[in-house]
Amino acid sequence: MTSPSNVTVAITLAVVLLSLFIFFWIRFILSDELPDNFATVMARTERMLPLLRIDLEPLDEAPWADSNRINMIANTLRELGYEPDGIFEVKAHIPFIIQGFKNQQRSSFAGLYELKQSDYPILDLVADSSEGTCITISNERDKGLDTPPFLKLTRLEHLDLSDPEHIREMHARLCEELKGETTVDLKDTHFDEHYKSFWANYTDWRMERGGLTTEEVIRMAQKNGEPEPSEEEIELAQNPWKQRIDLFILNQLWQEYCNNTNMTDEEWLEIFDRMVIVHEHSEANLLIETLADSIYNSSDLNHVEDDEEEHPYFKVLRQLNELFDSEESVMDAFHRALELLPPDQKYMLQSTKETPCKSEIYLIPKPHNV
């Protein structure tokens, strides 16, 4: 999925922003102030789900909180050859303002942004090597996230950008890192194009990893001064990412299947709610519920005796959960579960794909009462 040749100035910015989201999500998960109302928890969770694509809205001017420091940084950047290349509002879970700069001589970008959650502005200086490596100098503090293999990141965390020399030190470090490197010519590219391109590339890389790793969750908790999270807390922190990745890939696969299938509106309406898409990053819960419905809806199981100890539907759910827990991959578990379907509920394979990830599309039989 990831295309290193497209990696740009947005690399560190996206890493930083996603790390900030994860940082505050981990704090939310480990907080003792969780509301008692489950619906309230889920509503807050939905608002914090990660964006896998992002939009930038151009602004005429930025409402900086520390305008004096921002103006000093911008003026120093201009002295170093960085010309303004747009001011934008980023529509993320933690909204923020970012000003882009472009250095034609160095074929590099600068991104300057200010977050309420940080006590000083963040500056990234970035240039892309022709070998596909993004060389980046940033004063952002490490939040504990892994970085992509195509990023060469140098953190100068001791710089709070309160003095012009801090900006000059960062630029000098970038020039030092670029010695002997051939950089990508950026003369026809603007800051916002690079930013959105990298956000997509970075999140594609994270999707390939399945979201957050256990090690990342533990490191972020440690950096926040929290005790090591339990297995349940780690799973709770990972679930929103897994859910959003699942939905994002499902949408991609569904749209592509629709675009490549010649069906009338009436034909689509007939099968719309009978489609089942399974891919290598699928969330098991939805598949288990769908399979359980199919198995229980068979004529042999949907009759319930009053004296039965366990309702047949819940028995099916339990068996499927045990099956999925026993398999290393969700697709392997799904294939085993297909063998449990009664003859009148067998799923019909419609399509298989290897990109953007390994996936299969099935059609469920029509309900008996149709």
Side-chain angles (χ1 to χ4, degrees), residues 224-291:
N224 190 38
E226 302 282 354
E228 183 168 320
S230 66
E231 291 184 8
E232 292 77 11
E233 290 169 331
I234 292 173
E235 184 177 356
L236 193 58
Q238 293 173 326
N239 281 343
W241 288 79
K242 292 180 179 179
Q243 293 165 10
R244 181 52 60 89
I245 290 170
D246 183 16
L247 291 174
F248 182 83
I249 295 176
L250 281 176
N251 184 63
Q252 282 187 313
L253 294 170
W254 173 258
Q255 290 294 333
E256 185 172 346
Y257 184 75
C258 291
N259 293 337
N260 295 330
T261 305
N262 295 322
M263 287 189 183
T264 64
D265 292 343
E266 290 77 12
E267 289 172 326
W268 274 119
L269 287 173
E270 182 184 346
I271 71 167
F272 178 76
D273 58 353
R274 294 167 49 210
M275 303 296 292
V276 175
I277 303 176
V278 57
H279 57 85
E280 57 190 351
H281 296 299
S282 288
E283 274 291 278
N285 291 339
L286 291 177
L287 295 175
I288 289 172
E289 291 176 4
T290 301
L291 289 161

Side-chain angles (χ1 to χ4, degrees), residues 175-362:
C175 293
E176 180 180 340
E177 294 292 337
L178 292 179
K179 288 181 179 177
E181 297 280 357
T182 302
T183 56
V184 176
D185 188 355
L186 302 173
K187 65 180 180 180
D188 296 325
T189 308
H190 290 288
F191 174 85
D192 58 330
E193 298 169 334
H194 278 276
Y195 187 90
K196 288 186 288 187
S197 175
F198 175 72
W199 188 279
N201 289 329
Y202 176 80
T203 53
D204 282 351
W205 170 77
R206 187 158 286 283
M207 280 192 282
E208 289 175 350
R209 292 158 52 96
L212 287 177
T213 67
T214 297
E215 293 74 19
E216 285 177 313
V217 177
I218 293 174
R219 284 200 304 270
M220 295 196 72
Q222 291 172 339
K223 286 184 176 293
N224 190 38
E226 302 282 354
E228 183 168 320
S230 66
E231 291 184 8
E232 292 77 11
E233 290 169 331
I234 292 173
E235 184 177 356
L236 193 58
Q238 293 173 326
N239 281 343
W241 288 79
K242 292 180 179 179
Q243 293 165 10
R244 181 52 60 89
I245 290 170
D246 183 16
L247 291 174
F248 182 83
I249 295 176
L250 281 176
N251 184 63
Q252 282 187 313
L253 294 170
W254 173 258
Q255 290 294 333
E256 185 172 346
Y257 184 75
C258 291
N259 293 337
N260 295 330
T261 305
N262 295 322
M263 287 189 183
T264 64
D265 292 343
E266 290 77 12
E267 289 172 326
W268 274 119
L269 287 173
E270 182 184 346
I271 71 167
F272 178 76
D273 58 353
R274 294 167 49 210
M275 303 296 292
V276 175
I277 303 176
V278 57
H279 57 85
E280 57 190 351
H281 296 299
S282 288
E283 274 291 278
N285 291 339
L286 291 177
L287 295 175
I288 289 172
E289 291 176 4
T290 301
L291 289 161
D293 289 342
S294 296
I295 296 173
Y296 176 70
N297 284 335
S298 69
S299 56
D300 295 333
L301 290 181
N302 61 11
H303 178 70
V304 182
E305 299 291 344
D306 293 338
D307 58 351
E308 290 191 41
E309 293 184 3
E310 185 178 17
H311 191 286
Y313 181 76
F314 295 113
K315 181 179 180 180
V316 171
L317 276 179
R318 176 173 54 79
Q319 292 173 337
L320 288 171
N321 274 290
E322 291 173 355
L323 187 156
F324 273 76
D325 287 342
S326 68
E327 292 290 337
E328 291 188 4
S329 83
V330 68
M331 292 195 73
D332 288 343
F334 183 79
H335 292 154
R336 280 189 57 196
L338 290 178
E339 299 172 2
L340 304 178
L341 292 170
D344 63 341
Q345 293 293 323
K346 294 296 185 182
Y347 294 1
M348 295 166 281
L349 181 63
Q350 305 294 300
S351 173
T352 61
K353 290 186 65 62
E354 295 296 327
T355 58
C357 65
K358 187 176 181 180
S359 62
E360 297 168 348
I361 298 179
Y362 292 84

Side-chain angles (χ1 to χ4, degrees), residues 37-263:
N37 186 302
F38 182 76
T40 302
V41 175
M42 290 301 99
R44 288 174 59 184
T45 300
E46 175 61 28
R47 289 196 298 271
M48 295 186 70
L49 286 176
L51 292 176
L52 300 181
R53 294 296 183 264
I54 198 166
D55 292 321
L56 279 71
E57 181 177 329
L59 298 176
D60 293 329
E61 56 182 277
W64 303 111
D66 190 350
S67 57
N68 291 333
R69 184 183 297 193
I70 294 295
N71 289 335
M72 179 273 292
I73 297 170
N75 290 334
T76 306
L77 285 171
R78 289 189 186 94
E79 293 173 5
L80 295 169
Y82 295 87
E83 295 299 324
D85 196 23
I87 302 175
F88 309 92
E89 180 180 7
V90 178
K91 302 292 188 178
H93 302 283
I94 307 172
F96 69 100
I97 306 299
I98 182 168
Q99 182 167 2
F101 298 83
K102 185 175 180 179
N103 190 323
Q104 295 278 14
Q105 183 179 0
R106 292 286 178 180
S107 277
S108 61
F109 282 111
L112 174 62
Y113 55 107
E114 183 181 67
L115 295 163
K116 293 181 180 179
Q117 293 76 14
S118 179
D119 55 0
Y120 58 86
I122 307 300
L123 177 63
D124 297 324
L125 304 180
V126 178
D128 293 341
S129 77
S130 57
E131 297 179 352
T133 301
C134 183
I135 301 170
T136 304
I137 312 298
S138 177
N139 70 320
E140 168 61 7
R141 293 168 184 154
D142 183 9
K143 293 293 190 299
L145 280 182
D146 295 336
T147 54
F150 43 81
L151 169 64
K152 183 180 180 182
L153 173 63
T154 301
R155 294 188 186 274
L156 301 180
E157 300 181 17
H158 62 288
L159 302 178
D160 63 3
L161 309 184
S162 59
D163 189 285
E165 286 305 314
H166 294 182
I167 296 89
R168 296 190 183 102
E169 180 178 341
M170 293 182 66
H171 177 69
R173 185 60 181 269
L174 178 64
C175 293
E176 180 180 340
E177 294 292 337
L178 292 179
K179 288 181 179 177
E181 297 280 357
T182 302
T183 56
V184 176
D185 188 355
L186 302 173
K187 65 180 180 180
D188 296 325
T189 308
H190 290 288
F191 174 85
D192 58 330
E193 298 169 334
H194 278 276
Y195 187 90
K196 288 186 288 187
S197 175
F198 175 72
W199 188 279
N201 289 329
Y202 176 80
T203 53
D204 282 351
W205 170 77
R206 187 158 286 283
M207 280 192 282
E208 289 175 350
R209 292 158 52 96
L212 287 177
T213 67
T214 297
E215 293 74 19
E216 285 177 313
V217 177
I218 293 174
R219 284 200 304 270
M220 295 196 72
Q222 291 172 339
K223 286 184 176 293
N224 190 38
E226 302 282 354
E228 183 168 320
S230 66
E231 291 184 8
E232 292 77 11
E233 290 169 331
I234 292 173
E235 184 177 356
L236 193 58
Q238 293 173 326
N239 281 343
W241 288 79
K242 292 180 179 179
Q243 293 165 10
R244 181 52 60 89
I245 290 170
D246 183 16
L247 291 174
F248 182 83
I249 295 176
L250 281 176
N251 184 63
Q252 282 187 313
L253 294 170
W254 173 258
Q255 290 294 333
E256 185 172 346
Y257 184 75
C258 291
N259 293 337
N260 295 330
T261 305
N262 295 322
M263 287 189 183

